[in-house]
Amino acid sequence: SFSLRKATQYKQQVSPMQVHAIRCEALWALTERAPYFVKIDIEERNYLCIDAIASLPRERLPQYVAWEMHEYAKDLDFPILDLELIGKLQALGYDKMKIAGNKGRGPTAAFDSGGRLPDDILDVETLRTDWVSTSVKLAAGIPCARCQDGDWWDFYMKLGEICHYKTLPQVAVDGG
């Protein structure tokens, strides 16, 4: 973990280690087209990639973005930072979302989030695979993840359709 608080939650003695990292901006530069799906899980630093996504032009935005909830990042309580990220992505056009649980949903629960594509993910509130309007989710409020049998959640967001307006050929009308 990048957070001492999180690292010592279950183990009192921890030691720091150097880890080579690649910034998300460098990952986007590896391809000239938009990724289909970006799943982010960098232990309390997911917001860094969401910020990188927010700097992309519309045509380079991934169709789907998912990240693991933040509990300790920036010393903000859950779900403050995640609400900011949801709002940031909503402003970019991600108008549908789901919240995926990782615990308590049968033998495949821990794999529901990482082992399935976004359209197949069950939402923890609706228990369906249907996407929910981001505005509706935000208006209802993000429930307490850990209150749900100690669950931890992944947020999934789907980019809305881009409307391409074509210029219609002009037709001369004879009023004669």
Side-chain angles (χ1 to χ4, degrees):
S1 175
F2 292 101
S3 163
L4 181 61
R5 183 174 153 202
K6 184 171 184 176
T8 56
Q9 183 176 6
Y10 300 108
K11 186 177 180 184
Q12 294 302 312
Q13 291 191 330
V14 294
S15 2
M17 62 187 323
Q18 289 286 111
V19 177
H20 295 284
I22 298 172
R23 295 184 56 88
C24 293
E25 294 87 343
L27 292 174
W28 310 148
L30 293 176
T31 181
E32 293 182 15
R33 58 183 211 184
Y36 177 69
F37 173 38
V38 174
K39 172 72 169 82
I40 307 165
D41 188 352
I42 0 177
E43 298 304 317
E44 300 296 331
R45 296 297 185 262
N46 304 318
Y47 64 90
L48 296 169
C49 279
I50 302 294
D51 288 344
I53 288 170
S55 70
L56 292 171
R58 172 74 184 200
E59 65 274 5
R60 298 284 311 270
L61 293 175
Q63 181 66 38
Y64 301 96
V65 177
W67 71 94
E68 188 174 277
M69 68 186 223
H70 292 87
E71 287 187 282
Y72 305 100
K74 295 186 174 185
D75 290 324
L76 297 172
D77 291 331
F78 174 80
I80 296 170
L81 180 55
D82 292 308
L83 286 170
E84 289 176 14
L85 299 176
I86 291 166
K88 185 177 283 194
L89 289 176
Q90 184 181 30
L92 293 173
Y94 289 86
D95 60 356
K96 301 277 190 273
M97 69 177 290
K98 297 180 189 180
I99 302 172
N102 289 292
K103 192 174 180 183
R105 304 238 187 275
T108 63
F111 301 102
D112 278 356
S113 181
R116 298 177 189 215
L117 288 175
D119 285 331
D120 299 325
I121 296 294
L122 286 177
D123 181 80
V124 296
E125 295 177 294
T126 65
L127 299 179
R128 299 172 53 117
T129 58
D130 299 333
W131 289 91
V132 179
S133 160
T134 301
S135 296
V136 168
K137 282 275 193 198
L138 290 175
I142 302 298
C144 174
R146 294 295 187 192
C147 299
Q148 311 293 322
D149 191 33
D151 204 356
W152 72 98
W153 291 345
D154 290 339
F155 296 98
Y156 281 76
M157 297 194 72
K158 181 178 181 179
L159 188 61
E161 299 297 320
I162 300 173
C163 294
H164 296 284
Y165 296 99
K166 295 182 180 178
T167 304
L168 297 175
Q170 293 186 359
V171 178
V173 177
D174 184 6

